[in-house]
Amino acid sequence: LGYGVAEAIVLFIVEKVNQNQIDQRHVEYRLDEISGQQVRCMRVTLTESAKRLNVDESSHHLYLDDTHRVGVVYFRAGYSPDNYPTEKEWTARRIMELSDAIKCPFIGLQLANTKKVQQVLSEEGVVEKFIEDAALCIKIRRTFACMWGLGNDDRRTENAVDVSWNILSYCYITSYLEVEENPVTLNEFFINNRGQSSCSLIC
């Protein structure tokens, strides 16, 4: 299917308790359709892959169990720090990233999709590290949503919190038991609905 190695497999990286099997099966069935059932799919966890994967240092080919050439690594796990409890999982990810297998997604795209990286990229001077055209950097930054990190105890963070609280003070809160035609103020909600667990914000 374009990889150039007929016997190469598609390797699904999954969680130990795999709760999203249905949509994975649709991907597998579609591969069967377009390949005439010639593409083989296999599943391993990140922890298992630390033992079962290796990469040829000269060719950079990725192999499962020293037998199956891996053409595509499809990550259905590895998006949360919880998926990397030990150094073994990080080692497995490094092996995959250094191989010539197609990664879906590769580590750069995965990191770019995290909110923290997006927040850092939105700061002045960061995009300029990658693009020299200053005018283009300004245009790119205009497409970004405003984002603030709340990890530091500095004035910029305090301002972000203050702005958010001021906006919230102009909103109304309704409980799931009430209708939108009867909104209550923030203070009224907390006075009248102590103990309620479900509510929604409407501005």
Side-chain angles (χ1 to χ4, degrees), residues 53-121:
L53 286 177
N54 67 80
V55 62
D56 186 287
E57 293 185 0
S58 58
S59 66
H60 303 291
H61 298 337
L62 184 64
Y63 291 94
L64 177 69
D65 299 330
D66 295 320
T67 304
H68 305 289
R69 173 83 175 273
V70 179
V72 177
V73 180
Y74 178 35
F75 288 98
R76 296 307 303 258
Y79 295 91
S80 167
D82 295 342
N83 297 145
Y84 301 87
T86 70
E87 194 63 30
K88 290 188 298 184
E89 289 77 19
W90 289 111
T91 299
R93 184 63 187 262
R94 184 173 185 273
I95 289 172
M96 289 181 265
E97 293 295 336
L98 292 176
S99 75
D100 68 350
I102 298 169
K103 273 74 68 176
C104 180
F106 83 103
I107 190 69
L109 180 59
Q110 183 176 335
L111 289 173
N113 276 301
T114 64
K115 294 304 178 187
K116 184 59 183 178
V117 170
Q118 292 172 6
Q119 178 253 314
V120 172
L121 284 172

Side-chain angles (χ1 to χ4, degrees), residues 117 120-121 125-133 136-137 140:
V117 170
V120 172
L121 284 172
V126 177
V127 173
E128 284 79 358
K129 294 180 180 179
F130 307 98
I131 300 175
E132 295 181 358
D133 188 330
L136 180 58
C137 289
I140 291 173

